[in-house]
Amino acid sequence: MLRPYGLIVLLTALLVTTTAMAQSTKRPRDYGIRFGVLPTGPLNAITDVPGVRVGQVTLNKGQNIRTGVTAILPHDGNLFQQKSPAAIYIGNGFGKLTGYSQVDELGTIETPIVLTNTLSVPTAADAVIDYTLAQKGNEQVRSVNTVVGETNDGSLNDIRGRHVIKQHVLDAIQQAKTGTVDEGNVGAGTGTVCFGFKGGIGTASRKLPASLGGYTVGALVQTNFGGVLQIAGVPIGVALGKYSFKEKLDGSCMMVILTDAPLDARNLKRLAKRAFMGLAQTGGIASNGSGDYVIAVSTAYRIPHETASSFDDLKLLRNDNVSPLFMAAIEATEEAIINSLFAAKTSTGDQGNTVEQLPVDKVVDLLKKAGQAR
């Protein structure tokens, strides 16, 4: 006989869509739109950074559940025992990101990064603790610093219903994989709104040429914010008549930056700050009610939880050599945000609210007239 919790998990599983296939939507680059000057990685995704995995669970049930979970894992080992250097930059702090103070103090991350909706952060954090404690080698662990970020999807999702349960978070972590990352109305982006249009999950990457180090920088974003939309420098929001203070557009953006460049926490925070410049290039304004955070992680080396040595023997990139990475973070973040808009589809959700998708054909015509698309 199933216990009540097991029954809930079983019933909920029947209502969950797991993102096994990418959406067929054309990405901006397929229309000849370019962002910056650096080349992308093969997938133009955060998973171009070797070893990085992404898992997503999408809850799209009935008339009012439009939410989900997105998990990002820097490597496939025991993240607690083999920590990754990390930093977090707060662009605007109206948000509920867990784990900030320890990451800021120690410069490491020890769990998967999880994104979800605002009121599901405690549930997600609890699930990440369960996941960490269950890992082989963590039998004596008594402190876990979870990193869970959020945006408020209450326009389309019955957010007060708190439909994300721990099993959804565990599923997203356990299903995380390398390769193509689904974008748009998936995972933590299922119910989000961006620049007044349907937002979602977006990703992009940059691969530096060998002469600049050959490093990869990948970005993944959860877009749920307002401003005056710009694409490749063209004021699309003005042309479409949809922008902040003309309409009520507000919200948040979570940005996750991964790189295989050997950076310490100090230079990772500098990298994170540049990602915020990528958001600005899309027309985001970091409004009063916006929770805008960047989590930056290096996969170049790992910091053991326990070691017999009193010293870390690290080979780190010098300050003079990080500028190309800064540009890569700006470009990848900008493109990831626009990718989220191009992939997202019109959605009707809680209380009959409908959020229309970006009118891609009209946008492409505007960009062609401006010489920014084929």
Side-chain angles (χ1 to χ4, degrees):
M1 179 177 177
L2 283 173
R3 294 182 179 181
Y5 179 74
L7 181 60
I8 291 172
V9 171
L10 178 61
L11 291 174
T12 305
L14 299 175
L15 308 177
V16 174
T17 302
T18 55
T19 57
M21 298 180 62
Q23 291 178 255
S24 60
T25 306
K26 292 170 68 174
R27 302 177 92 187
R29 284 183 176 264
D30 297 324
Y31 295 97
I33 304 167
R34 293 292 180 267
F35 304 88
V37 298
L38 294 172
T40 72
L43 298 172
N44 194 17
I46 196 170
T47 46
D48 284 322
V49 179
V52 173
R53 295 178 294 150
V54 175
Q56 304 195 79
V57 166
T58 300
L59 303 179
N60 193 355
K61 164 64 171 62
Q63 298 179 351
N64 65 348
I65 302 176
R66 305 286 183 269
T67 193
V69 180
T70 298
I72 304 98
L73 283 69
H75 64 76
D76 61 1
N78 185 321
L79 295 167
F80 186 92
Q81 297 297 331
Q82 297 292 322
K83 305 179 197 301
S84 294
I88 298 173
Y89 175 65
I90 302 176
N92 193 72
F94 198 151
K96 287 77 186 169
L97 176 68
T98 68
Y100 168 75
S101 64
Q102 183 171 313
V103 173
D104 193 54
E105 186 73 20
L106 302 183
T108 60
I109 195 169
E110 61 189 28
T111 69
I113 299 164
V114 171
L115 307 179
T116 188
N117 74 66
T118 305
L119 296 186
S120 294
V121 169
T123 298
D126 198 17
V128 174
I129 292 171
D130 283 356
Y131 169 80
T132 302
L133 295 181
Q135 294 282 288
K136 184 177 180 181
N138 292 351
E139 291 80 7
Q140 301 305 313
V141 170
R142 286 173 171 77
S143 172
V144 180
N145 188 55
T146 61
V147 177
V148 179
E150 53 79 29
T151 69
N152 193 311
D153 56 17
S155 294
L156 289 170
N157 176 50
D158 171 28
I159 194 168
R160 288 174 59 90
R162 290 177 285 178
H163 301 284
V164 172
I165 62 173
K166 289 202 290 184
Q167 190 60 48
H168 298 143
V169 181
L170 294 172
D171 286 347
I173 294 171
Q174 290 161 357
Q175 294 169 10
K177 61 181 180 61
T178 60
T180 303
V181 178
D182 294 347
E183 299 178 298
N185 307 32
V186 294
T190 303
T192 62
V193 183
C194 187
F195 293 112
F197 301 104
K198 183 66 190 71
I201 296 296
T203 188
S205 71
R206 292 295 184 271
K207 173 75 172 176
L208 298 183
S211 61
L212 297 177
Y215 304 114
T216 299
V217 175
L220 183 144
V221 298
Q222 176 192 18
T223 59
N224 193 53
F225 63 96
V228 185
L229 175 62
Q230 294 186 122
I231 300 178
V234 180
I236 298 298
V238 174
L240 298 179
K242 188 182 284 287
Y243 48 87
S244 287
F245 311 118
K246 179 177 184 292
E247 299 189 13
K248 188 179 183 300
L249 306 180
D250 205 349
S252 305
C253 188
M254 288 298 309
M255 294 158 274
V256 180
I257 303 295
L258 271 291
T259 183
D260 57 0
L263 303 180
D264 61 5
R266 179 181 58 81
N267 267 328
L268 283 167
K269 177 161 278 192
R270 298 177 75 204
L271 188 71
K273 292 177 181 178
R274 271 58 180 195
F276 202 77
M277 295 169 68
L279 180 145
Q281 291 201 159
T282 68
I285 61 171
S287 67
N288 173 71
S290 194
D292 302 307
Y293 299 84
V294 187
I295 304 166
V297 181
S298 171
T299 65
Y301 60 97
R302 301 177 190 179
I303 301 171
H305 179 62
E306 294 181 344
T307 177
S309 175
S310 298
F311 302 93
D312 287 326
D313 184 16
L314 302 175
K315 189 174 183 179
L316 299 171
L317 201 62
R318 289 173 54 86
N319 293 338
D320 290 345
N321 298 98
V322 298
S323 292
L325 297 170
F326 292 167
M327 181 180 286
I330 294 169
E331 291 187 8
T333 303
E334 177 189 11
E335 185 166 2
I337 290 169
I338 303 305
N339 283 346
S340 78
L341 285 163
F342 269 63
K345 300 299 183 186
T346 297
S347 180
T348 299
D350 193 38
Q351 301 181 52
N353 292 332
T354 296
V355 179
E356 300 290 337
Q357 67 194 56
L358 185 75
V360 171
D361 290 343
K362 187 178 293 186
V363 168
V364 171
D365 285 342
L366 290 168
L367 291 169
K368 285 179 178 178
K369 290 175 182 177
Q372 295 296 331
R374 287 196 298 266

